[in-house]
Amino acid sequence: MRILISADMEGATGVTWPDDVVPGASQWERCRSLFTSDVNAAVLGFHDGGADEVIINEAHWSMRNLLLEQLDDRAQLLTGRHKTLSMVEGVQHGDVDGIAFVGYHAGAGMEGVLAHTYLANSITGVWLNDVRASEGLLNAHVVAEYGVPVVLVTGDDVACEDALGYAPEALKVAVKDHVSRYAAVCRTPGRTAADIRAAAKEAAALAVRHEPVHGGPFTVAVEFDAEHLAMAATVVPGVERIGERKVAYTSGTMYEGIRAFKAVTTIVSAAVEEQYG
């Protein structure tokens, strides 16, 4: 049994505001340990449940946040940027039996601690076939094309509720309860580690590959907080304006769809100026 963990940071234990997750910010170093604790608990739980191998794909910001030295020695860590499938890199090789979304969060325009989709503020909403989309929803459609089930989701309570829509059978662990975008009622790392480990042990039984699901075509619509960002996004072939601040494109597969989304967000990010984004 081979498990892939897609590890994001905004949904980690104790994380509530930007300084907790932005590399180099005042609280980031402290929260790296909390983030690593959540991921390590999942590693331990999956091995408790019979996994032979667990590989972790870093999915947050620079993708260089987890502390390798704190991980269980049986784990392997894929760290660094510029990967074909970004947050779910590794699922495409045909040897992954189940995937866990650890430290996930709600999407842009939703309630939830540090809610966003790829870009923290420039994107105000994403829709996949007219359904408001979080990173979890987008990534769930990607992994489905490779026959890999989502077996575990951790994050705040809103992220867990969101996961009911794209991974209803997966185990969910809320490590904190949303109060506002920058506030939450947080459980201690000792408690969340125990909860995640127990859930991962149970989730291992769900790690059974299925037939690939090809649900395309997929239409992705993206709304921005400024008109010029919609204009910038149309540089990507196939992306068209559908409103003053909104664009859309259609892809035959979610593999193509997520790569196009990455291109859009990369170009838009470069179009934001420091003072007048």
Side-chain angles (χ1 to χ4, degrees):
M1 184 197 306
R2 193 168 199 254
I3 302 292
L4 177 66
I5 295 175
S6 173
D8 205 358
M9 194 171 183
E10 286 89 355
T13 294
V15 166
T16 60
W17 72 312
D19 269 20
D20 291 337
V21 296
V22 176
S26 62
Q27 294 298 307
W28 172 70
E29 194 66 48
R30 180 180 70 87
C31 288
R32 292 178 72 191
S33 184
L34 296 172
F35 178 32
T36 304
S37 174
D38 284 3
V39 172
N40 204 39
V43 172
L44 292 170
F46 281 122
H47 279 292
D48 291 343
D52 300 297
E53 186 177 3
V54 180
I55 184 166
I56 305 148
N57 177 40
E58 274 228 44
H60 174 70
W61 203 283
S62 62
M63 300 185 177
R64 300 181 184 277
N65 306 276
L66 289 169
L67 300 171
L68 178 65
E69 59 272 27
Q70 291 185 14
L71 294 174
D72 185 278
D73 286 339
R74 294 168 293 182
Q76 296 183 80
L77 176 63
L78 170 56
T79 184
R81 299 178 63 196
H82 310 302
K83 297 172 285 197
T84 301
L85 287 180
S86 190
M87 296 182 75
V88 292
E89 176 67 23
V91 77
Q92 69 267 42
H93 302 310
D95 57 358
V96 173
D97 299 297
I99 187 167
F101 293 166
V102 174
Y104 269 48
H105 50 82
M110 301 178 183
E111 293 288 329
V113 178
L114 295 175
H116 71 284
T117 306
Y118 269 59
L119 301 182
N121 295 306
S122 299
I123 290 177
T124 56
V126 178
W127 292 264
L128 179 64
N129 290 345
D130 296 323
V131 175
R132 190 178 282 274
S134 62
E135 292 167 10
L137 176 64
L138 296 175
N139 290 331
H141 279 282
V142 175
V143 303
E145 292 185 342
Y146 296 96
V148 177
V150 179
V151 300
L152 173 68
V153 179
T154 78
D156 71 358
D157 57 327
V158 182
C160 292
E161 183 177 352
D162 177 53
L164 290 172
Y166 64 77
E169 296 182 359
L171 275 292
K172 286 90 175 173
V173 178
V175 301
K176 55 197 171 192
D177 295 328
H178 158 265
V179 174
S180 73
R181 196 180 190 207
Y182 305 123
V185 177
C186 297
R187 296 147 181 71
T188 64
R191 177 178 169 186
T192 58
D195 290 346
I196 293 170
R197 183 172 184 173
K201 179 180 179 179
E202 185 176 348
L206 303 176
V208 179
R209 294 178 58 81
H210 53 69
E211 287 297 314
V213 176
H214 299 290
F218 296 99
T219 297
V220 177
V222 188
E223 182 184 72
F224 305 100
D225 67 352
E227 181 275 339
H228 80 282
L229 299 181
M231 178 184 67
T234 60
V235 172
V236 179
V239 176
E240 298 181 352
R241 294 278 288 271
I242 60 170
E244 187 176 40
R245 296 181 291 107
K246 200 171 185 180
V247 301
Y249 64 89
T250 299
S251 301
T253 67
M254 202 56 207
Y255 169 83
E256 297 168 347
I258 202 69
R259 286 164 62 81
F261 187 68
K262 181 65 175 176
V264 166
T265 56
T266 298
I267 287 172
V268 165
S269 182
V272 176
E273 300 292 344
E274 183 178 357
Q275 299 299 329
Y276 290 91

